[in-house]
Amino acid sequence: MSSAAQRKQFLRGIPFPFCAGCGGATVATVFLKAVDELGFKDLRSFVFCSGIGCASWIPSPHFKADSIHTTHGRSIPVATGVKLVRPDLNVVVFGGDGDVLGIGLSHLIHAARRNLDITVIMVNNMIYGMTGGQVAATTPLGTWTTTTPYGSYEPPLDAFRLLASAGASYVARWTTAHMAELTESLKTALTTKGFSFVEVVSQCPTAFGRRRGFKNVKEMLRWLKTQSIPIDDPEAASMPEQGETIAVGEFRRRTVIPTLTESIQQVTKRAGKQ
Ligand SMILES: Cc1ncc(C[n+]2csc(CCOP(=O)(O)OP(=O)(O)O)c2C)c(N)n1
Ligand code: SF4
């Protein structure tokens, strides 16, 4: 399907509220491309949950689908409820790094631990975009933000390693400068049984880019690409300390573990026999 046909098929036609050049628009486009390439003709089998923040406006109210815009950081608990009540639906969470990895962090870890059969797409712009550029758990060391006027002094959190060790079935990280890899990764995430997580390191020209001295979006995208190295490169291990190197790639769980829905069904069956 052409991108114009995709827009008609999957979008309501309400303009996105993003600043010019925001990576949020790229993530929306790539997600719909992935859905189209997987053969979905519409989004009726999907439910989208999002919290508060610029990235949370990606699905709702723009996608032609059922979507729930929840409070800040609480999209995963709501998605958990939706999935447990309707395990037949594809439940997808969109959110920013503040929403998913900051205020919502405990929900994220527990969803991975439980192997909840949902997909979480985290748009990591390394800052709180919507509220004007406060420091986030993902901000690289030394970055000037409105709450760190002399540079951030805390190392960023590595969602990839955290979730892979917490029990997720699929974890990936790409940037908005890796559109082809991101498309394939989203297709894998959407078809993986169990908890899947895709982090997209993305450009926020308004709250992050201009403070870092980037002249334009093109320069930011070039930076995202040049800072990226494969996750299995030994140099990638330095990422948590610095946050300047972007370790990109995929992790797939080799042993198949039951999803939360399957575990509950097994226990219910056992209890029914007693
Ligand atoms: C309980 C609560 N705390 C704080 C806020 C204010 N707030 C709204 S969005 C946001 C963070 C936005 O950053 P992120 O989630 O990374 O999304 P972005 O806008 O960067 O896409 C904050 C702190 C809120 N709405 N609710
Ligand atoms: S503030 Fe940043 S993240 Fe929010 S819409 Fe503007 S460019 Fe995008």
Side-chain angles (χ1 to χ4, degrees):
M1 213 190 285
S2 70
S3 50
Q6 268 167 27
R7 280 199 294 276
K8 202 162 168 226
Q9 193 77 358
F10 299 132
L11 292 171
R12 290 188 209 277
I14 302 167
F16 283 103
F18 305 132
C19 308
C22 175
T26 311
V27 177
T29 305
V30 174
F31 176 80
L32 295 179
K33 185 171 187 286
V35 163
D36 178 36
E37 288 183 9
L38 284 174
F40 288 96
K41 298 283 171 249
D42 56 48
L43 299 174
R44 280 184 221 187
S45 63
F46 285 83
V47 175
F48 296 96
C49 300
S50 58
I52 301 294
C54 299
S56 293
W57 289 107
I58 292 174
S60 151
H62 306 97
F63 289 0
K64 270 190 201 164
D66 287 325
S67 55
I68 310 174
H69 220 120
T70 73
T71 52
H72 192 35
R74 307 298 171 229
S75 51
I76 292 176
V78 172
T80 306
V82 174
K83 189 67 192 178
L84 290 182
V85 173
R86 288 293 305 269
D88 55 312
L89 295 175
N90 299 304
V91 181
V92 179
V93 168
F94 277 93
D97 45 296
D99 196 52
V100 173
L101 200 65
I103 192 170
L105 177 62
S106 63
H107 307 304
L108 180 68
I109 296 170
H110 289 298
R113 173 181 69 85
R114 293 168 171 151
N115 202 26
L116 177 70
D117 192 9
I118 65 169
T119 297
V120 176
I121 301 164
M122 183 178 88
V123 183
N124 175 9
N125 55 16
M126 305 178 175
I127 206 147
Y128 290 179
M130 201 180 80
T131 43
Q134 294 81 8
V135 73
T138 48
T139 305
L141 265 181
T143 303
W144 186 86
T145 73
T146 54
T147 46
T148 55
Y150 301 103
S152 80
Y153 37 81
E154 297 172 352
L157 184 58
D158 183 349
F160 188 105
R161 290 179 209 282
L162 177 71
L163 295 176
S165 64
S169 288
Y170 178 73
V171 185
R173 181 190 288 122
W174 298 105
T175 78
T176 41
H178 295 87
M179 286 173 72
E181 294 90 338
L182 181 58
T183 310
E184 289 311 311
S185 194
L186 288 171
K187 282 158 69 178
T188 307
L190 289 170
T191 50
T192 293
K193 203 169 91 156
F195 185 79
S196 57
F197 177 87
V198 179
E199 173 178 344
V200 191
V201 185
S202 171
Q203 78 277 11
C204 166
T206 306
F208 184 85
R210 65 194 168 98
R211 294 206 174 93
R212 285 290 300 247
F214 289 109
K215 287 192 206 74
N216 51 45
V217 172
K218 227 175 171 177
E219 208 176 272
M220 282 193 86
L221 286 170
R222 212 175 305 126
W223 179 73
L224 289 177
K225 195 90 189 220
T226 53
Q227 292 308 110
S228 296
I229 57 168
I231 192 82
D232 46 11
D233 189 310
E235 228 188 278
S238 69
M239 193 233 167
E241 283 74 48
Q242 295 303 323
E244 285 288 333
T245 306
I246 306 166
V248 295
E250 293 179 303
F251 159 85
R252 282 165 219 249
R253 179 164 292 286
R254 286 205 185 87
T255 4
V256 180
I257 53 170
T259 65
L260 178 63
T261 317
E262 287 170 345
S263 302
I264 292 174
Q265 279 164 354
Q266 280 166 15
V267 172
T268 313
K269 211 167 147 190
R270 221 170 35 237
K273 282 186 189 151
Q274 283 169 4

